């Protein structure tokens, strides 16, 4: 993995899609900023993290346009990746806990963490029943938190440095690199929050990010912009992943029959079904493993290989986390 390295990120890609899903101008709100030795590779990480490289897809919260759209030739191919459990041993709740604890004193953390652990037990049950419902409920935890550009950038960097950086699977990074060499567009399709994963998306040199986005409003008493605790649009999970992938393909000339998709759970199945080649990464349940066998999807053991290697740090071993 020491030989895995990234080239310079592309510099000609606009940042995000407009609310109706059509690429538009930059949005300042979203600008957050695999033999070489460890120090040299950390320089690569820092370089990549400082260069914007991907589009962030925003929830489709507007009415569909009625005018005819131009037909875009399907001349490109893409690789669609779920994030949590597929690229990294991570989850959205842990991301939130890391960001929240950074804002607390030791005393308040000792009080808050046991109580929130009880809430997490409830979340596990809800997630088992419906990933989409879980995403909607989880968004409420952000209600009242600062949503200013500076606050979101700080939260995202803290989560990346303290949590995500060490949890990326090296083989996932190597796979992304290889696909980039084969001219695949790299698209992250995740239930994580858009602003929270921007540092990782930059380092992975993702071409596009489809993620959950939180509603924002002006806070009271001069508090500035805050989160309302609601998601914009439909949660990015289950069938919605298929919808977003197909929309992206239509707008960017992607031939889904020549494209690939990677996921770890049943909530990714709809996305895996709509591409020509699908793979399941370290299936998160017996049900997902059975589904992979039934569909003939390749099963990759990136998590297990990472654990056998002692949980080697993807970023510090020469890959980008």
């Amino acid at each position: 993995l020491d030989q895995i390295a990234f080239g310079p990120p592309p510099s000609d890609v606009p940042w995000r899609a407009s609310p109706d899903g059509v690429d538009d101008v930059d949005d300042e709100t979203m600008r957050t900023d695999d033999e070489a030795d460890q120090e040299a590779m950390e320089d690569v990480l820092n370089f990549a993290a400082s260069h914007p490289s991907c589009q962030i897809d925003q929830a489709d919260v507007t009415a569909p346009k009625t005018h005819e759209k131009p037909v875009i030739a399907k001349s490109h191919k893409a690789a669609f990746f779920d994030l949590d459990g597929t690229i990294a041993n991570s989850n959205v709740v842990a991301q939130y806990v890391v960001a929240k604890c950074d804002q607390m004193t030791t005393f308040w953390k000792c009080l808050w963490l046991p109580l929130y652990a009880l809430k997490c037990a409830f979340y596990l049950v809800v997630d088992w029943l419906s990933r989409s419902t879980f995403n909607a409920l989880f968004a409420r935890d952000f209600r009242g938190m600062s949503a200013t550009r500076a606050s979101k950038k700080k939260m995202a960097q803290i989560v990346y440095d303290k949590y995500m950086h060490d949890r990326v699977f090296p083989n996932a990074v190597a796979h992304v690199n290889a696909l980039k060499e084969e001219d695949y567009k790299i698209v992250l399709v995740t239930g994580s929050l858009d602003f929270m994963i921007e540092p990782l998306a930059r380092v992975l040199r993702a071409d596009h990010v489809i993620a959950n986005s939180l509603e924002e409003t002006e806070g009271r008493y001069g508090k500035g912009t805050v989160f309302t605790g609601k998601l914009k649009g439909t949660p990015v999970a289950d069938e919605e992943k298929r919808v977003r992938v197909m929309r992206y393909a239509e707008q960017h000339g992607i031939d889904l029959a020549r494209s690939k998709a990677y996921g770890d759970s049943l909530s990714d199945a709809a996305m895996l079904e709509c591409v020509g080649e699908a793979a399941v990464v370290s299936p998160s349940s017996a049900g997902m493993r059975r589904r992979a066998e039934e569909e003939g999807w390749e099963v990759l053991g990136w998590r297990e290989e990472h654990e056998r290697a002692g949980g080697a740090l993807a970023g510090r071993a020469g890959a980008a986390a």
Side-chain angles (χ1 to χ4, degrees):
L1 289 175
D2 292 285
Q3 297 176 341
I4 300 176
F6 287 120
S11 60
D12 59 346
V13 183
W15 251 92
R16 66 190 298 187
S18 61
D20 62 1
V22 180
D23 290 346
D24 203 344
V25 297
D26 291 353
D27 185 343
E28 289 295 324
T29 303
M30 296 304 300
R31 293 188 182 275
T32 66
D33 282 329
D34 243 50
E35 214 145 36
D37 62 25
Q38 174 178 329
E39 181 178 354
M41 291 315 304
E42 289 293 343
D43 291 339
V44 173
L45 291 177
N46 292 332
F47 169 80
S50 66
H51 290 70
S53 61
C54 68
Q55 298 172 326
I56 305 294
D57 196 34
Q58 192 177 48
D60 186 2
V61 295
T62 61
K65 297 182 180 299
T66 57
H67 62 269
E68 293 186 4
K69 297 180 180 179
V71 177
I72 302 176
K74 296 181 178 180
S75 57
H76 304 291
K77 54 188 179 181
F80 301 93
F81 286 86
D82 168 58
L83 176 57
D84 297 313
T86 300
I87 287 182
N89 183 18
S90 60
N91 64 76
V92 295
V93 174
Q95 293 172 24
Y96 169 76
V97 170
V98 170
K100 186 74 172 181
C101 285
D102 185 74
Q103 302 174 10
M104 296 180 178
T105 63
T106 300
F107 173 77
W108 283 111
K109 280 190 285 189
C110 290
L111 294 177
W112 180 80
L113 283 171
L115 295 174
Y116 195 73
L118 295 176
K119 192 173 188 178
C120 289
F122 168 70
Y123 280 157
L124 284 173
V125 175
V126 175
D127 186 54
W128 180 75
L129 294 171
S130 170
R131 179 64 55 84
S132 296
T133 301
F134 160 74
N135 282 336
L137 287 175
F138 173 65
R140 297 178 183 178
D141 289 351
F142 287 84
R143 183 178 180 180
M145 292 180 66
S146 176
T148 64
R149 176 185 171 190
S151 295
K152 291 191 292 187
K153 181 178 180 180
K154 180 181 179 181
M155 276 194 286
Q157 199 60 51
I158 287 170
V159 169
Y160 174 76
D161 292 339
K162 294 186 177 182
Y163 180 68
M164 297 298 296
H165 179 275
D166 294 355
R167 291 174 170 269
V168 174
F169 303 139
N171 283 349
V173 178
H175 210 77
V176 168
N177 284 340
L179 290 170
K180 293 285 285 188
E181 291 296 320
E182 296 175 18
D183 294 325
Y184 281 86
K185 300 290 184 182
I186 304 301
V187 183
L188 302 183
V189 187
T190 174
S192 289
L193 296 175
D194 47 13
F195 73 90
M196 199 75 86
I197 63 168
E198 283 179 21
L200 177 58
R202 291 179 189 273
V203 175
L204 288 173
R205 296 184 300 143
D207 297 284
H208 199 89
V209 171
I210 299 171
N212 280 323
S213 182
L214 292 171
E215 287 185 356
E216 301 173 7
T217 189
E218 285 302 313
R220 301 169 64 182
Y221 312 116
K223 192 176 180 179
T225 308
V226 297
F227 294 118
T228 67
K230 297 180 180 180
L231 289 175
K232 293 180 181 178
T234 307
V236 182
D238 305 313
E239 184 64 26
E240 183 65 12
K241 285 196 171 186
R242 185 210 305 266
V243 172
R244 298 287 190 95
V245 165
M246 295 182 70
R247 181 186 303 154
Y248 173 83
E250 179 183 358
Q251 294 173 353
H252 295 82
I254 302 298
D255 184 353
L256 290 177
R258 297 169 55 216
S259 296
K260 302 183 179 185
Y262 302 80
D264 72 302
S265 70
L266 287 171
S267 69
D268 301 317
M271 175 179 72
L272 301 183
E273 289 174 344
C274 66
V275 297
E277 185 176 339
V280 178
V281 177
S282 303
S284 61
S285 67
M288 187 56 175
R289 186 173 292 277
R290 286 196 301 271
R291 182 66 180 276
E293 293 174 353
E294 293 169 357
E295 300 289 346
W297 294 336
E298 181 181 9
V299 176
L300 304 171
W302 293 346
R303 179 197 295 270
E304 294 80 5
E305 291 159 4
H306 182 55
E307 292 173 350
R308 284 197 296 270
L313 306 186
R316 296 177 188 174

